Amino acid sequence: MKDKLNINQVTTGQMMGLMLLAYIFSFMIRMIWVYQFHGNPAFYWDGQMMINTNDGYFFASGAQKALSGLHADNPRIPGIWGYGLVFFTTLFAKITPFRFETIILYMPAVISSLVVIPIILIARLYGKSLWGFFAALLGSIAWSYYNRTMTGYYDTDMFSAMAPMFILYFLIKSTIDFNLRSALYAAVAIVLYPFLYDQGQAIVYAMGIIYGAYMVWFHRDQKTTYASLILIFLSLLPLGLDKPVTYVVHLILLGIVYFVLKQEKIKEKNLMIISAILFVLFLWLGNVAGLILHKIFTYTIRGTQESGLHFYAVNQTVREAGKIPFSVFAHRISGSMLGVFIALIGYIVLVIRHKAFVLALPLVGIGIFALWGGLRFTVYAVPIAAMSAVYLFFVIGEFIRDKKARYAFITLATAAMIYPNITHIIGYKVPTVLSHSEVEDLVKLDKMASGKDYTLAWWDYGYPIWYYSDTSTLIDGGKHDNDNFIISKIMQTTSPELAANLSRLAVETYVENNHSVVTKTLFDREKDPNVLLSELENPAYKLPKKSRDVYLYLPYRMLNIFPTVAVFGNLDLTTGKAERKIVFYPSRAIGNRGGVLRFSNGFSFDSKQGKLLVGKQSIPVRYFVMTELAKDGSTKMQAQPYGNEGAYVVVYMKSYGQFIIMDIKTFNSMYVQMFILGKYDKNLFELVVSSPYSKIYKLKK
């Protein structure tokens, strides 16, 4: 009796069954997060769990606009054809019975789990569907891929690694069956990939170039080689048309060219010339070298700009865009240090045995680039790493004669690779972007603000502010450029007049100049930007005519990142040097002996003597301030002065159990005064929303 699950004899029906099993496994693993937080009221809004990635609100706002016309005055909202995610979300909302909030919550799990299909299909090309099945179990839930495609992670990352695997499948298939139709399918997938994942252009460019080199080097004598290259290079050629016209025209061109190549007997020499011309046009018009270098520099540049005015580079402060140690890299790709070495060895063996897998080098390469470029790049290498590791298990299994023992080894080895990833998933309890109470505050803002109004906030909160309050922002998750300086300066300045004047000036300038970068417009007028900043402290500064209301959003959750926020505005723009050393250390008390409080950050505070203790060093404190939230939402404050020689203030936020050590100037900053202490200039601002989670002020100027 034949073994129905023989590596080389899995039927099409059985293969479909394996795909279904792998898909269900991937999807159900993504339900662990839902199970863990099901029923937690803090994670729900309007009867549904909320999403857990800030960027998701960018795409969700675009879908809101397409479905109901919201955000009409917001210049940053994406159109329905700008991103495939917005298009498909809108489509699903119209054709399915599910609520919009349900669609954006579960769509990542539904879409990303499709990665199991190309993994199994690639393995089937070599008659080893079981290899694909085991690899799909691992690749679909491995650390980095799971993190960026889990339930609630509503972002284009759900397409980032899944779609290239389909491209890879058709490219490899075309090197095996030499069927022009396989190259056509690969070309179609290449055309559509940027629609699904806008940052993926460099990936498909690299895959196309390697495919061209591979075909010319290994298969230059095959009849379909140059015809296939024509289709691939044509798909890579930028047409310079608007969306969605560019996709439609591209697909029509591919269909016409495919039909001509199939019907007409074109001499091989002419095919070579045409493919060479298309390749040169692709390199030229696609600005291939420039695009790849731009991506590298974007994720490796650190610190301040070195030419012109010296603004701080945002990538220095974004965790996923910073260098990572090898151990983190290994865990995110394969779940363990051992796992990534197994995958590396497996990939080498795989390329030696099946040289077409060299076409996966761009995915492997960009995964390795994560060591310098940041966490986000590891996701691309995950499916290939899974295939490579499991392939090595199958190669080792060839030396085990007993079939049951062989499959037992492969199963256990794969399970050992999966285990640390499952452990990670169970412990990966990420919260939703905002809590129910925080959303409540933004919805209150929505009820009082109009669609043309602006809310000034740090860029982390830009997209959620769009979605829940229907107001615009100066900076957000995709526009965190030099204008970070403006928001940071407003938050940290000690001058209420500067904060109010800069808020009004920035918003009106942004609107008047067609939403261009504000700092470029404002500071180009002055040789020394410090002159303008000094003038803005004058209550009589002449501001542009008010055209809309402006709100200032100060959330509690910004407290822990305030030192990072302050970095951007704490600069002399003419030199790039910090204006002062900012001290702002949030902490919690872990002990109290005789009036000496010990904090979790290593500091101690002698409340009787008014001194901070760090090791053997004693630092005088000027004030000890205690705040407490009253039932009416106001903030009560008590202050204990110690002496004017002290340069620091210790603040105890009693209602939060939070201590903060800060310097005097930071204590007088707008964020500390207006949020922590609830103190503000009533001639300049009006407190319109107040809760333990945020304070929102309306600008009176």
Side-chain angles (χ1 to χ4, degrees):
M1 182 178 178
K2 293 184 177 179
D3 183 2
K4 292 183 178 180
L5 289 180
N6 185 284
I7 290 179
N8 299 306
Q9 294 181 7
V10 171
T11 66
T12 300
Q14 291 170 332
M15 180 195 70
M16 297 294 288
L18 293 175
M19 285 182 180
L20 181 60
L21 284 175
Y23 183 89
I24 292 173
F25 174 78
S26 173
F27 183 83
M28 293 308 296
I29 287 295
R30 284 167 171 78
M31 291 301 102
I32 291 175
W33 180 81
V34 177
Y35 172 77
Q36 289 174 329
F37 295 108
H38 177 72
N40 185 335
F43 282 37
Y44 280 74
W45 180 256
D46 195 21
Q48 181 57 273
M49 288 183 76
M50 295 180 285
I51 60 176
N52 50 43
T53 174
N54 292 61
D55 288 354
Y57 287 112
F58 171 79
F59 304 105
S61 296
Q64 276 184 329
K65 182 178 181 179
L67 289 166
S68 54
L70 289 172
H71 318 299
D73 294 302
N74 190 330
R76 293 271 301 135
I77 298 294
I80 190 171
W81 296 108
Y83 297 88
L85 184 54
V86 176
F87 170 79
F88 284 112
T89 302
T90 304
L91 179 65
F92 294 156
K94 288 183 175 181
I95 67 173
T96 70
F98 302 111
R99 292 177 54 198
F100 181 79
E101 293 77 10
T102 302
I103 291 171
I104 64 174
L105 177 68
Y106 291 104
M107 195 172 169
V110 172
I111 298 296
S112 64
S113 295
L114 293 173
V115 73
V116 304
I117 296 175
I119 290 177
I120 293 175
L121 286 175
I122 290 172
R124 186 169 176 78
L125 291 175
Y126 299 97
K128 292 181 172 60
S129 296
L130 275 184
W131 161 36
F133 172 69
F134 284 112
L137 296 179
L138 173 60
S140 62
I141 57 93
W143 200 308
S144 182
Y145 190 68
Y146 171 82
N147 282 11
R148 303 190 74 88
T149 61
M150 64 184 292
T151 302
Y153 203 94
Y154 177 71
D155 199 346
T156 52
D157 289 86
M158 66 181 81
F159 300 109
S160 63
M162 180 270 291
M165 290 301 291
F166 276 102
I167 296 173
L168 181 65
Y169 164 67
F170 289 120
L171 290 178
I172 292 178
K173 188 172 186 293
S174 73
T175 69
I176 294 174
D177 62 12
F178 299 105
N179 189 326
L180 194 58
R181 188 180 299 172
S182 298
L184 173 66
Y185 293 155
V188 169
I190 287 171
V191 167
L192 295 178
Y193 183 49
F195 180 55
L196 300 175
Y197 188 67
D198 63 305
Q199 300 178 55
Q201 199 74 56
I203 299 171
V204 292
Y205 277 6
M207 293 179 76
I209 292 171
I210 288 185
Y211 177 76
Y214 177 87
M215 292 295 282
V216 171
W217 184 263
F218 291 108
H219 302 295
R220 55 184 173 272
D221 296 328
Q222 290 291 334
K223 294 180 181 180
T224 59
T225 290
Y226 297 103
S228 297
L229 291 180
I230 288 173
L231 291 174
I232 297 301
F233 293 149
L234 178 61
S235 70
L236 293 168
L237 196 64
L239 300 183
L241 302 173
D242 292 334
K243 300 174 183 178
V245 176
T246 185
Y247 302 120
V248 176
V249 172
H250 228 142
L251 294 176
I252 291 174
L253 281 176
L254 284 174
I256 293 172
V257 171
Y258 171 75
F259 180 78
V260 171
L261 291 173
K262 287 288 288 184
Q263 300 299 320
E264 300 293 330
K265 293 184 178 180
I266 303 174
K267 292 182 179 180
E268 185 176 343
K269 184 177 180 181
N270 292 336
L271 291 175
M272 291 174 63
I273 294 172
I274 295 171
S275 62
I277 291 173
L278 286 173
F279 180 67
V280 172
L281 286 173
F282 150 60
L283 292 178
W284 178 37
L285 298 177
N287 188 28
V288 175
L291 174 65
I292 295 174
L293 288 174
H294 172 72
K295 290 292 185 183
I296 292 173
F297 291 145
T298 296
Y299 288 98
T300 54
I301 289 177
R302 304 284 187 263
T304 57
Q305 296 176 359
E306 295 182 358
S307 60
L309 296 179
H310 298 258
F311 294 98
Y312 199 77
V314 72
N315 282 354
Q316 177 113 355
T317 66
V318 180
R319 182 171 178 262
E320 67 175 24
K323 294 180 180 179
I324 58 174
F326 184 80
S327 60
V328 174
F329 163 83
H331 280 87
R332 289 185 68 90
I333 287 182
S334 295
S336 65
M337 292 281 284
L338 177 60
V340 83
F341 282 114
I342 292 173
L344 177 61
I345 296 170
Y347 182 69
I348 294 171
V349 174
L350 192 52
V351 171
I352 292 173
R353 289 196 170 194
H354 305 292
K355 56 183 179 289
F357 268 88
V358 75
L359 300 177
L361 264 180
L363 300 176
V364 175
I366 197 168
I368 294 174
F369 176 69
L371 289 167
W372 300 273
L375 295 175
R376 66 182 307 154
F377 295 103
T378 54
V379 67
Y380 299 97
V382 168
I384 296 300
M387 293 196 73
S388 300
V390 176
Y391 184 79
L392 185 63
F393 299 151
F394 272 78
V395 171
I396 295 173
E398 292 173 2
F399 296 95
I400 303 174
R401 293 185 178 182
D402 183 79
K403 193 171 294 183
K404 290 183 179 179
R406 183 192 312 160
Y407 289 131
F409 164 75
I410 294 170
T411 301
L412 290 174
T414 304
M417 289 283 288
I418 290 174
Y419 176 76
N421 292 287
I422 297 290
T423 302
H424 161 72
I425 289 168
I426 293 172
Y428 193 63
K429 299 178 180 180
V430 297
T432 52
V433 175
L434 299 178
S435 68
H436 178 92
S437 298
E438 289 172 304
V439 172
E440 240 176 359
D441 289 348
L442 291 177
V443 170
K444 289 177 183 176
L445 174 60
D446 180 33
K447 291 177 180 178
M448 69 182 70
S450 74
K452 70 176 186 178
D453 294 341
Y454 274 71
T455 301
L456 302 186
W458 192 238
W459 65 263
D460 293 51
Y461 318 117
Y463 297 152
I465 287 172
W466 296 359
Y467 185 83
Y468 289 112
S469 76
D470 192 20
T471 58
S472 302
T473 57
L474 278 186
I475 56 176
D476 53 62
K479 180 184 176 293
H480 37 64
D481 45 36
N482 296 343
D483 285 351
N484 287 348
F485 175 85
I486 291 174
I487 303 300
S488 176
K489 182 62 72 175
I490 291 170
M491 299 288 182
Q492 71 173 278
T493 182
T494 60
S495 167
E497 290 289 351
L498 171 60
N501 287 338
L502 184 54
S503 296
R504 174 59 61 191
L505 180 61
V507 168
E508 299 299 345
T509 301
Y510 183 64
V511 174
E512 181 184 344
N513 289 275
N514 296 317
H515 314 106
S516 59
V517 177
V518 178
T519 45
K520 183 178 181 182
T521 305
L522 290 182
F523 298 135
D524 274 356
R525 298 174 185 169
E526 303 285 344
K527 291 183 179 180
D528 185 349
N530 295 317
V531 173
L532 174 61
L533 293 173
S534 178
E535 290 175 350
L536 287 170
E537 294 186 14
N538 187 344
Y541 183 87
K542 188 175 180 180
L543 292 167
K545 184 179 179 181
K546 176 181 175 180
S547 66
R548 62 206 65 229
D549 282 324
V550 176
Y551 297 88
L552 190 60
Y553 177 68
L554 305 174
Y556 170 70
R557 67 168 55 240
M558 194 174 78
L559 189 142
N560 286 321
I561 66 167
F562 184 69
T564 300
V565 172
V567 166
F568 290 84
N570 185 40
L571 287 176
D572 182 331
L573 296 180
T574 60
T575 65
K577 295 181 179 179
E579 292 181 327
R580 64 187 181 87
K581 181 182 179 181
I582 294 176
V583 174
F584 191 87
Y585 303 142
S587 189
R588 295 192 180 274
I590 57 174
N592 184 353
R593 178 177 293 180
V596 177
L597 297 172
R598 287 191 302 115
F599 298 139
S600 58
N601 61 3
F603 283 84
S604 293
F605 172 55
D606 187 334
S607 59
K608 294 180 180 179
Q609 299 294 322
K611 295 183 183 295
L612 282 172
L613 308 174
V614 189
K616 296 182 179 180
Q617 190 178 6
S618 178
I619 305 170
V621 170
R622 186 175 300 187
Y623 299 110
F624 172 69
V625 176
M626 183 175 73
T627 68
E628 186 173 8
L629 297 176
K631 291 182 179 180
D632 62 359
S634 62
T635 303
K636 296 180 179 180
M637 184 184 77
Q638 294 179 327
Q640 169 68 52
Y642 291 108
N644 292 331
E645 71 277 8
Y648 299 96
V649 178
V650 176
V651 175
Y652 174 42
M653 300 172 70
K654 185 176 180 181
S655 300
Y656 302 85
Q658 179 86 62
F659 286 86
I660 311 167
I661 300 168
M662 64 185 82
D663 62 89
I664 290 294
K665 199 164 185 179
T666 301
F667 176 73
N668 290 317
S669 69
M670 290 301 97
Y671 178 69
V672 173
Q673 291 291 309
M674 296 176 76
F675 174 73
I676 296 178
L677 305 182
K679 296 175 64 178
Y680 60 99
D681 189 328
K682 292 180 173 59
N683 294 317
L684 300 175
F685 301 97
E686 177 188 357
L687 180 61
V688 293
V689 176
S690 180
S691 81
Y693 303 94
S694 60
K695 284 183 170 62
I696 303 177
Y697 291 88
K698 182 179 180 180
L699 181 63
K700 287 187 174 182
K701 278 200 168 187

